[in-house]
Amino acid sequence: MKKLLIAITAVFCLATASFAQAKPASEKAKAATSKTTPADTKKASAAAPVKKDGTPDMRYKANKEAAKAAAPAGPLKKDGTPDMRHKANKEAAAKKKG
C-alpha cells in the first residue's frame, strides 16, 4: 500500500510539473518585449533622414541638432527621464505644460 501511494504521488507531481513548462515565445512577442530606450521610439521629422525602422539617423547633423533641442534642461535620472528635484527641469516642465 505504501509503495502504491508513493507511486501515485510521484505521477501526480510529474504531471503537474509538466504543465508549468513555458511555451517558447513567437518572434512577434520577442520583438514587442525587446528593450528600447525613449530616444529609439521617437520618430524623426519628414525633412530629416531616418533609418528603416523609422528612428532618426544620428549620422546626420539635422538629427543631432533636433536631439540636442529636445534634451531636458537639467540632470537626468538613471532611466533617462528628467530629475524633477532640480529647478531647471521643473521650469522646463511648467513651460511645456503651458
Side-chain angles (χ1 to χ4, degrees):
M1 185 68 177
K2 199 179 214 183
K3 291 180 183 180
L4 181 63
L5 185 60
I6 292 172
I8 291 173
T9 305
V11 169
F12 179 73
C13 290
L14 292 174
T16 55
S18 67
F19 291 122
Q21 300 298 320
K23 295 180 182 177
S26 66
E27 290 297 322
K28 289 183 181 178
K30 287 180 184 177
T33 59
S34 66
K35 293 182 179 181
T36 58
T37 59
D40 291 342
T41 59
K42 293 180 182 177
K43 301 292 181 187
S45 65
V50 293
K51 296 185 280 186
K52 286 182 182 179
D53 61 356
T55 57
D57 193 345
M58 297 309 287
R59 296 178 292 175
Y60 295 94
K61 185 177 181 180
N63 289 332
K64 289 180 183 178
E65 290 172 354
K68 281 185 182 178
L76 301 176
K77 295 188 283 186
K78 285 184 180 179
D79 63 358
T81 58
D83 192 347
M84 297 308 288
R85 296 177 291 176
H86 298 276
K87 185 177 180 180
N89 289 332
K90 288 180 184 177
E91 290 172 352
K95 185 186 271 187
K96 188 176 182 182
K97 208 172 195 181

